[in-house]
Amino acid sequence: ITVTADPPSGPSVNDAATANFTANGGTPVPSPVTISTLVNQQPSDSAPGPTVSVGGTATISYIVTNNDGNLNYSNVVVTDDNETPTDPSDDFSPSLASGDVNFNGRLDVGEVWIYTQSISNVTTGQHTRGITVTANPPSGLGVQDNGTVNFVGG
């Protein structure tokens, strides 16, 4: 959450914080918009993930699902940290390949959007990429889900 305020004089001020919500009993409330991944059509949410030939191509599918039974979401953004979680300068957003069946730019109830990115010349070893999806409901605070893409160059 980011708050920006304009004082009577001087520059604007802002502050940012992360809000985590829990249900009764301390159980985290899942995001109504979720992200999962495939690498070369194999599940890759958990390490080690599928094996990709060294020098080959890892085709990543980022699967974004609206699990909310009532709301449609706009401004859906998927971000991949490009295997550098502490360096946002090389983060990227993969391309939307399919899913917006009525072409309205909203992740409608029950829709599943698939974004893709190909990584060529895979190197040896474990590869883990942090991923995030954010989306905005018609009103109120936006939602976010985080995950990982995992594969092994071998």
Side-chain angles (χ1 to χ4, degrees):
I1 301 170
T2 301
V3 176
T4 302
D6 293 316
S9 64
S12 296
V13 294
N14 63 51
D15 195 14
T18 300
N20 296 305
F21 300 96
T22 57
N24 293 337
T27 304
V29 176
S31 173
V33 174
T34 58
I35 190 164
S36 61
T37 60
L38 301 172
V39 169
N40 297 344
Q41 300 302 311
Q42 297 177 47
S44 62
D45 294 312
S46 300
T51 299
V52 178
S53 298
V54 171
T57 299
T59 301
I60 304 170
S61 298
Y62 308 80
I63 303 162
V64 176
T65 304
N66 181 350
N67 299 302
D68 190 311
N70 300 306
L71 298 176
N72 300 325
Y73 291 83
S74 60
N75 300 318
V76 178
V77 177
V78 173
T79 305
D80 183 312
D81 76 5
N82 206 21
E83 294 188 53
T84 57
T86 60
D87 180 7
S89 69
D90 65 352
D91 293 1
F92 65 90
S93 292
S95 301
L96 178 62
S98 65
D100 190 7
V101 296
N102 58 0
F103 305 103
N104 66 355
R106 291 191 309 249
L107 182 61
D108 296 320
V109 172
E111 274 189 342
V112 176
W113 287 9
I114 300 174
Y115 295 77
T116 59
Q117 179 72 34
S118 291
I119 310 300
S120 57
N121 297 315
V122 168
T123 58
T124 301
Q126 179 68 48
H127 296 267
T128 299
R129 310 166 82 84
I131 57 171
T132 302
V133 61
T134 58
N136 295 326
S139 63
L141 296 174
V143 298
Q144 175 177 314
D145 191 32
N146 303 303
T148 56
V149 176
N150 297 279
F151 61 95
V152 177

